[in-house]
C-alpha cells in the first residue's frame, strides 16, 4: 500500500473510533441527552465498540487506530505493520498522521451530532471531558504511570492476539478496551491512545465550544500557573484546554506501547 492508502485507512478507522467514543462520553456527560448520567461502564462499552467498528473499517492496514499500537509493533522487531505493509519511515508517518487526523475529524463529527447539547451544558469541565481525558487526582508522575501500565496491557495483548489468530481480532480488541477501562481507567480516564486524546483536544481548541459557566480547576493546571498542587482556583477567562496535562496521555501511551513491543519481542 502507498502512503495515501495507509493514511486514508487509518484516518477512517480512527475517525469511527473517535466519533463513537467521544459520542458516548457526550451522551453520558452533557445536559438533556437520552444517556445522561449513564455511568462509567456505558462509556467503557462505547469506546470498546468504537474500537470494534474502527478496526473493521481500517482492516487493510491492520486497524491500528492508535500510535501506541504502531510503536509497539515497531519495537517488537516485526518486519510488517500489516500483511503487505513493510515497516519504513514513510509507512510509520502515514499511520501516525492518519490516526491523528482521523481522531480530530471523528471528534468534530461527534460535536456536530451533540451541538445543541453542548450549547445547553453550562459546565466547561464536562465539555472538555467529552473530548479529552482529565485525571481524577492530578499527579503528573502517577497519572503518567497509569497510562504507561494501561497501554502496556493493551499493546501486549493486541500483539499476542496477532500471534494467535482466531478470527475474533476486532471483538477481542473491543473487549480488551472495555476491560482496561473498567479495571485501570479510574485514575485518568484511560487515554491509552495518543491520537484519541490529542486529536479531540485539538478539536475542542478550535471548535466553538463556548464557555458558559465558571469552572474550578487545580491551580497547577491553570494557564500561567507555576505549581501543580491541589489547591483550587478559577480558570482564566476563555476556553480551557488543559494543555499542562496534555503531554501525559500522549507520552504515557507511547512509552507503554514501546515497552510492550520490547517484551513481545522476547515473549512471543
Amino acid at each position: 500500500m502507498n502512503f495515501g492508502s495507509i493514511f486514508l485507512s487509518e484516518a477512517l478507522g480512527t475517525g469511527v473510533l473517535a466519533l463513537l467514543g467521544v459520542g458516548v462520553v457526550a451522551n453520558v456527560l452533557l445536559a438533556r441527552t437520552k444517556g445522561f448520567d449513564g455511568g462509567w461502564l456505558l462509556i467503557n462499552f462505547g469506546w470498546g465498540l468504537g474500537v470494534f467498528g474502527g478496526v473493521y473499517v481500517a482492516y487493510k492496514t491492520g486497524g491500528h487506530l492508535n500510535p501506541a499500537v504502531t510503536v509497539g509493533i515497531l519495537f517488537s522487531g516485526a518486519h510488517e505493520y500489516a500483511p503487505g505493509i513493510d515497516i519504513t519511515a514513510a509507512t510509520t508517518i502515514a499511520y501516525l498522521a492518519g490516526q491523528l487526523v482521523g481522531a480530530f475529524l471523528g471528534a468534530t463529527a461527534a460535536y456536530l451530532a451533540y451541538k445543541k447539547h453542548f450549547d445547553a451544558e453550562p459546565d466547561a469541565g464536562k465539555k472538555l471531558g467529552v473530548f479529552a481525558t482529565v485525571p481524577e487526582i492530578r499527579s503528573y508522575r502517577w497519572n503518567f504511570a497509569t497510562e504507561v501500565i494501561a497501554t502496556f496491557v493493551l499493546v501486549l495483548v493486541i500483539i499476542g492476539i496477532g500471534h494467535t489468530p482466531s478470527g475474533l481480532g476486532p471483538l477481542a480488541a473491543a473487549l480488551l478496551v472495555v476491560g482496561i477501562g473498567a479495571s485501570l481507567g479510574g485514575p485518568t480516564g484511560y487515554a491509552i491512545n495518543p491520537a484519541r486524546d490529542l486529536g479531540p483536544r485539538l478539536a475542542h481548541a478550535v471548535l466553538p465550544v463556548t464557555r458558559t459557566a465558571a469552572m474550578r480547576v487545580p491551580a497547577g493546571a491553570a494557564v500561567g500557573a507555576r505549581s501543580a498542587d491541589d489547591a483550587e482556583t478559577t480558570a482564566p477567562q476563555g476556553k480551557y484546554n488543559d494543555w499542562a496535562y496534555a503531554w501525559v496521555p500522549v507520552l504515557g501511551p507511547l512509552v507503554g506501547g514501546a515497552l510492550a513491543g520490547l517484551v513481545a519481542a522476547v515473549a512471543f
Side-chain angles (χ1 to χ4, degrees):
M1 295 181 71
N2 59 32
F3 185 99
S5 297
I6 295 170
F7 176 90
L8 181 60
S9 177
E10 287 293 312
L12 288 173
T14 311
V16 169
L17 165 65
L19 172 59
L20 298 183
V22 172
V24 73
V25 181
N27 196 20
V28 170
L29 293 187
L30 297 182
R32 298 169 60 185
T33 65
K34 297 290 188 180
F36 179 71
D37 204 24
W40 182 240
L41 285 179
L42 177 58
I43 291 175
N44 295 162
F45 275 100
W47 276 107
L49 293 174
V51 169
F52 184 75
V55 170
Y56 273 116
V57 170
Y59 75 94
K60 290 183 178 180
T61 49
H64 293 194
L65 316 182
N66 182 345
V69 172
T70 303
V71 167
I73 294 173
L74 176 65
F75 275 75
S76 73
H79 300 293
E80 293 182 322
Y81 280 129
I85 304 177
D86 293 334
I87 295 179
T88 67
T91 57
T92 301
I93 293 171
Y95 271 94
L96 300 183
Q99 292 155 3
L100 182 60
V101 170
F104 178 92
L105 295 176
T108 300
Y111 166 76
L112 294 174
Y114 281 90
K115 173 63 168 64
K116 299 304 292 184
H117 297 274
F118 277 104
D119 292 344
E121 176 57 61
D123 189 331
K126 287 185 178 181
K127 292 179 181 181
L128 174 61
V130 169
F131 290 90
T133 58
V134 179
E136 291 302 303
I137 299 175
R138 186 173 295 258
S139 174
Y140 295 124
R141 288 176 296 176
W142 290 107
N143 301 151
F144 177 82
T146 298
E147 288 293 335
V148 170
I149 292 167
T151 311
F152 176 88
V153 174
L154 173 74
V155 176
L156 185 67
V157 175
I158 284 177
I159 293 176
I161 291 170
H163 284 279
T164 55
S166 62
L168 297 176
L171 178 59
L175 293 176
L176 175 62
V177 169
V178 173
I180 291 173
S183 299
L184 298 172
T188 63
Y190 81 125
I192 60 173
N193 181 339
R196 168 266 173 274
D197 193 274
L198 183 58
R201 195 182 297 266
L202 288 169
H204 176 269
V206 301
L207 289 169
V209 186
T210 55
R211 179 172 168 183
T212 55
M215 179 176 61
R216 305 288 288 181
V217 299
V223 174
R226 296 185 179 182
S227 64
D229 57 36
D230 291 328
E232 289 190 336
T233 184
T234 302
Q237 292 300 313
K239 192 185 296 181
Y240 175 70
N241 297 299
D242 199 5
W243 292 115
Y245 179 76
W247 67 273
V248 173
V250 172
L251 187 57
L254 290 176
V255 171
L259 291 174
L262 293 173
V263 171
V266 176
F268 300 142

